[in-house]
Amino acid sequence: MDLQLSGKRALVTGSSAGLGEVIARHLAAEGAAVVVHGRDEARTAAVAGSIREKGADAAVAIGDLATDAGAEEVATAALKGGPVDILVNNVGVYDPSVGWADSSSVEWAGIYNINVISSVRMIQHLVPGMRERGWGRVIQISSVLGDLPQASQPHYAATNAARNNLAASLARELKHSGVTSNAVAAGGVLTPGIQDFLTDLGRQSGWGETWEEIEPNAVNALSPNDVGRVGRPRGYADLVSYLASPLAGYITGATLRIDGGWYDA
Ligand SMILES: NC(=O)c1ccc[n+]([C@@H]2O[C@H](COP(=O)([O-])OP(=O)(O)OC[C@H]3O[C@@H](n4cnc5c(N)ncnc54)[C@H](OP(=O)(O)O)[C@@H]3O)[C@@H](O)[C@H]2O)c1
């Protein structure tokens, strides 16, 4: 399927690593020009460089989205090479080892700032231009934990409910504008960091020694789902690329869960 992304320009926040990197690479492979973003200059430049080596257009934006000044720097850098048509708000932090007893009010406020307000900052910088041009796509990456909160990392789960909620509110604000707003609520994402975390936990919990042994046990224990595995970044990137494309113009205000059918244990 031709996603008709050539001629479009996309900023993926937090694309120097993890899921955001895979999304940026996939959008570029589908023909979009991409802006790769992170705080770490070397890591961000390396991702953009390797996208360019494949013949695609990739620029770099550096900045800490936890601050207004950092977000402004990112928006300015992103707009240097042309308008931004597609904004993927992917930056987010989480820590499965934190629970109610050890998450202070400062940590609740801090994670809300990074996971929610960083997106608001980028929306406020970039969506007015999309509205003026009569076309745009805004996609929040969130987690299924927004719908299925667990006892662990309650502050993270709450930020995901907020991410889904703001995506719907923004769609109402943008009605009849040609700009859509949606959230992609992900189940587990098999990034290198998550695989390392689950491998250590699996060995300590007696789930096995190799990743092949550990994965089904980790899924059963932590994220029971009908498919029986952790989600691969590529599957999420496929959905995000479709939502970002002109083909998805009738989808707005939605939270699309992609989680293998994750259910409450
Ligand atoms: N991994 C999962 O299992 C999972 C599941 C569901 C949803 N999600 C969501 O998916 C998104 C990506 O997760 P991930 O696991 O791919 O994350 P990750 O591997 O930790 O990557 C995080 C990215 O965000 C950037 N970043 C972090 N804090 C930042 C800040 N304050 N300002 C600017 N950039 C910042 C990092 O850039 P630098 O390091 O270069 O600064 C990096 O590029 C998150 O929103 C998360 O909530 C993840």
Side-chain angles (χ1 to χ4, degrees), residues 12-21 23 37-41 43-44 62-67 74 89-94 113-115 118 140-145 156 159-160 163 184-194 230-231 236 262:
V12 183
T13 69
S15 45
S16 61
L19 179 60
E21 176 183 348
I23 292 171
H37 159 258
R39 288 164 303 180
D40 182 306
E41 287 196 37
R43 197 163 41 222
T44 309
I62 305 296
D64 183 351
L65 298 188
T67 68
V74 173
N89 278 321
N90 165 77
V91 157
V93 293
Y94 47 86
N113 181 38
I114 295 174
N115 289 4
S118 69
Q140 309 301 317
I141 303 300
S142 73
S143 159
V144 67
L145 298 180
Y156 174 63
T159 64
N160 286 296
R163 288 162 148 181
V184 169
V189 183
L190 193 61
T191 59
I194 291 290
V230 183
Y236 298 106
W262 183 324

Side-chain angles (χ1 to χ4, degrees), residues 27-240:
L27 286 168
E30 289 293 333
V34 293
V35 182
V36 180
H37 159 258
R39 288 164 303 180
D40 182 306
E41 287 196 37
R43 197 163 41 222
T44 309
V47 173
S50 98
I51 291 174
R52 281 195 296 271
E53 273 168 21
K54 296 198 165 117
D57 185 346
V60 162
I62 305 296
D64 183 351
L65 298 188
T67 68
D68 289 346
E72 192 170 347
E73 281 166 26
V74 173
T76 304
L79 290 168
K80 224 170 163 184
V84 172
D85 308 297
I86 298 161
L87 168 62
V88 182
N89 278 321
N90 165 77
V91 157
V93 293
Y94 47 86
D95 183 352
S97 67
V98 173
W100 277 98
D102 43 13
S103 49
S104 66
S105 58
V106 172
E107 281 159 328
W108 276 77
I111 197 168
Y112 193 83
N113 181 38
I114 295 174
N115 289 4
V116 182
I117 304 180
S118 69
S119 293
V120 175
R121 293 183 175 107
M122 297 318 295
I123 287 165
Q124 287 176 342
H125 280 296
L126 299 176
V127 170
M130 295 179 195
R131 199 203 281 261
E132 258 174 52
R133 291 186 302 280
W135 197 92
R137 297 284 182 262
V138 185
I139 300 166
Q140 309 301 317
I141 303 300
S142 73
S143 159
V144 67
L145 298 180
D147 276 351
L148 292 177
Q150 302 182 353
S152 68
Q153 46 178 352
H155 53 352
Y156 174 63
T159 64
N160 286 296
R163 288 162 148 181
N164 299 341
N165 188 286
L166 80 83
S169 168
L170 186 62
R172 303 294 94 79
E173 166 67 16
L174 292 170
K175 73 177 178 184
H176 306 162
S177 69
V179 184
T180 66
S181 164
N182 294 289
V184 169
V189 183
L190 193 61
T191 59
I194 291 290
Q195 186 163 349
D196 290 347
F197 169 78
L198 291 176
T199 303
D200 288 347
L201 184 67
R203 288 183 182 146
Q204 286 161 28
S205 311
W207 294 341
E209 277 305 309
T210 65
W211 173 247
E212 289 66 32
E213 291 164 347
I214 290 169
E215 182 175 18
N217 293 315
V219 169
N220 271 340
L222 304 175
S223 56
N225 69 63
D226 297 322
V227 174
R229 61 170 171 79
V230 183
R232 289 350 188 212
R234 173 60 198 261
Y236 298 106
D238 282 337
L239 177 59
V240 171

